[in-house]
Amino acid sequence: MAHLWVRHEGVWGAQRLGSAGIDVAGLLASRAAAAADGAAYPHSARLIRVDAAEAKSWAIIASPTSGLRVNGRTPPAGLCVLDDRDEIRGGAEKLFFSTETLAAVEPFPGSDRPVFCGRCRQSIEVGSPAVCCPGCGISYNESAELPCWTYSEKCTFCGQATALDAGFSWTPEEL
Ligand SMILES: [Zn+2]
Ligand SMILES: [Zn+2]
């Protein structure tokens, strides 16, 4: 799940992005109101999800005169498809976009065909606790009886760390 890094009182926090997208101008304006810095903020800018087959990407739509910048540049024609770790700036505030996803235990959603666990090779039952590897998308059981995801320190297929409390490997820093 992609997310935006937003700074609250000097501390960066990750805000998950849902399918509805997010009003970036409103978010920046609320940060600006907290900062009371008097800078000019974009009136209209929105982050939207673009679904193309399996690939999900995110784009920002902003009026070319809004003053919003992505990696220091005004989006051409007001549109910019975002890449991991892009900086979004408006006024004196900035946000960072990230595509990094944390591993989480969730009820297995199921699929058209049986899905086999990346560790034990048994089919994973719909609704049973499972982890979808953020690195490669392979699913694993993860219950008290079948702790297949956390059985090893790393995903068998892509080397993704399996610690469930590892947190994000990338966080914004002041540049
Ligand atoms: Zn398993
Ligand atoms: Zn993996």
Side-chain angles (χ1 to χ4, degrees), residues 132-138 140 149 154-160:
C132 177
C133 175
C136 66
I138 299 285
Y140 291 76
W149 170 251
K154 288 180 172 161
C155 171
T156 315
F157 299 92
C158 73
Q160 168 88 28

Side-chain angles (χ1 to χ4, degrees), residues 11-166:
V11 180
W12 287 101
Q15 183 164 335
R16 290 178 78 167
L17 290 168
S19 54
I22 194 164
D23 173 7
V24 173
L27 186 61
L28 287 165
S30 70
R31 306 312 318 134
D37 57 15
Y41 283 84
H43 299 299
S44 171
R46 189 159 187 90
L47 196 59
I48 59 159
R49 195 172 80 181
V50 184
D51 293 0
E54 292 295 296
K56 290 185 177 62
S57 55
W58 289 85
I60 201 154
I61 297 178
S63 127
T65 57
S66 71
L68 185 120
R69 290 172 185 274
V70 178
N71 298 330
R73 287 194 217 103
T74 302
L79 182 73
C80 181
V81 175
L82 294 174
D83 281 326
D84 192 24
R85 307 181 189 182
D86 275 352
E87 180 199 87
I88 301 161
R89 185 185 281 267
E93 288 290 324
K94 59 186 175 183
L95 312 165
F96 287 90
F97 173 78
S98 173
T99 57
E100 189 179 354
T101 304
L102 295 183
V105 182
E106 282 166 353
F108 187 62
S111 175
D112 300 346
R113 283 173 282 171
V115 172
F116 299 96
C117 172
R119 182 83 50 195
C120 71
R121 315 287 176 185
Q122 298 177 61
S123 75
I124 305 176
E125 283 177 42
V126 173
S128 68
V131 171
C132 177
C133 175
C136 66
I138 299 285
S139 291
Y140 291 76
N141 302 110
E142 183 57 28
S143 61
E145 305 81 58
L146 288 170
C148 297
W149 170 251
T150 51
Y151 177 82
S152 168
E153 280 180 17
K154 288 180 172 161
C155 171
T156 315
F157 299 92
C158 73
Q160 168 88 28
T162 60
L164 289 168
D165 58 356

